[in-house]
Amino acid sequence: MTRTIKDSQGRVLDYLRLSITDRCNLRCLYCMPGDGVEWRPHGDMLSFEEFLRLCRILGGLGIRKIKVTGGEPLVRRGCATLIAALKSLPGIEQVTLTTNGFLLEEELPRLAAAGLDGINISLDTLDEETFRRLTRRSGVDKVLRALRAALEAGIPVKVNCVPLRGINEKELPDLAALARDQPVAVRFIELMPLGRAVKLDPLTGGETAAALEGRFGKLTPWKGRLGNGPARYYVPSGFTGTLGFIDPVSQSFCGSCNRLRLTSQGRLKPCLAEDLDLDLRTPLRGGASDDDLAEAILNLAARKPGGHHFLTGGGTPGQPQEMFRIGG
Ligand code: SAM
Ligand code: SF4
């Protein structure tokens, strides 16, 4: 019998975001401090065997899709090997990766051989100076080369961009044009007020859409089904790819959220915006059985919060939640 994980509101949780490291080779303004990051000891991070054991249990309970994330997942050696192993777990139908693209070009052959089902590349700018300001590192050309190489390798690619007033605002139509010229989905994601992101001034999805309409004309929603997440898609005429909008703040999609998150330290989180989590590493290393772990997972999943309160100032906006530690 196929099992499903349900929370107390009846939402089916079949999607896991799996953070395999909290380390990163960039220092994006909205995600990490510029320096002085306190790394947790390596031993605090789950080993690949430990991730696989938990993912096998989660696959048995009802998780069907896994997104490997971080920190930057490609800084953890052997990421492609882990992906191949995740792909072979019973119940797991899709394994994809979210990356900043910096190390992607050289890893592509191994990722393709592992059977990776898709890549999300985070790219907020095409301009080297803005890239340096935003990520505090140089090398946007490396990311653009990796994007072309991933498309040539035949792996479905999505580009994720966070629109920020006064930073990449003027470039948004140029970023969207990547989807005009290449078969990629370019998605604009509203910045969530978590951690250091509260210091920045994000554009809403509506403001971004207006900026794009100035260049590409009226955007009419695509009626067919594209993707299986919360993005709304558009296919302007003359586009090879698609444009998407993900508006977690202005158009909360918490009511249909299907996600669980597992951090690199082995904490299971049912919601990005709340403190609630469960330490699975201690029982995992302390001899707990699969049944014990499964029961703990189901109990936590049932308590998934109903939604965030970013707009009303309630909940946890601005609390020191750190995307690179939770897994974005
Ligand atoms: N390092 C990888 C990357 O950049 O794609 C994976 C981890 S990163 C935390 C995942 C995604 O989270 C990135 O696309 C980043 O832009 C996004 N992100 C980080 N902080 C965010 C925030 N406060 N609101 C919305 N998206 C955020
Ligand atoms: Fe690193 Fe991704 Fe955070 Fe940027 S958004 S600092 S690339 S984890």
Side-chain angles (χ1 to χ4, degrees), residues 77-228:
R77 203 184 302 212
C79 179
T81 310
L82 176 68
I83 287 170
L86 290 170
K87 285 275 302 178
S88 70
L89 292 178
I92 302 303
E93 294 164 3
Q94 193 188 77
V95 180
T96 55
L97 176 78
T98 290
T99 171
N100 61 33
F102 230 61
L103 299 174
L104 180 59
E105 193 179 9
E106 63 209 66
E107 279 302 313
L108 265 174
R110 280 178 284 279
L111 293 168
L116 186 68
D117 294 297
I119 305 182
N120 289 5
I121 300 179
S122 304
L123 179 65
D124 296 332
T125 177
L126 301 169
D127 174 68
E128 178 63 14
E129 205 181 311
T130 310
F131 187 83
R132 250 185 270 133
R133 180 174 170 207
L134 246 172
T135 69
R136 303 175 173 112
R137 297 289 183 271
S138 338
V140 72
D141 53 321
K142 275 174 86 159
V143 184
L144 292 169
R145 269 204 317 274
L147 166 60
R148 283 191 294 273
L151 288 169
E152 277 160 22
I155 304 179
V157 178
K158 292 174 183 162
V159 170
N160 288 342
C161 167
V162 176
L164 298 166
R165 214 178 307 280
I167 299 184
N168 60 359
E169 186 181 0
K170 299 231 156 52
E171 283 189 72
L172 300 175
D174 293 337
L175 282 152
L178 291 172
R180 182 189 58 201
D181 307 329
Q182 302 170 89
V184 341
V186 175
R187 290 132 36 107
F188 296 94
I189 304 179
E190 284 177 349
L191 186 77
M192 291 174 280
L194 296 165
R196 52 192 40 81
V198 293
K199 296 191 189 131
L200 294 162
D201 186 7
L203 269 74
T204 62
E207 290 172 321
T208 300
L212 301 189
E213 287 184 334
R215 167 92 64 96
F216 303 110
K218 179 99 189 107
L219 294 176
T220 13
W222 183 252
K223 294 214 178 62
R225 178 132 188 86
L226 281 174
N228 42 26

Side-chain angles (χ1 to χ4, degrees), residues 4-23:
T4 51
I5 307 176
K6 266 195 191 164
D7 70 8
S8 60
Q9 323 213 359
R11 291 174 295 189
V12 173
L13 312 181
D14 61 0
Y15 177 37
L16 177 74
R17 292 185 74 99
L18 175 66
S19 173
I20 64 168
T21 179
D22 58 0
R23 301 180 187 213

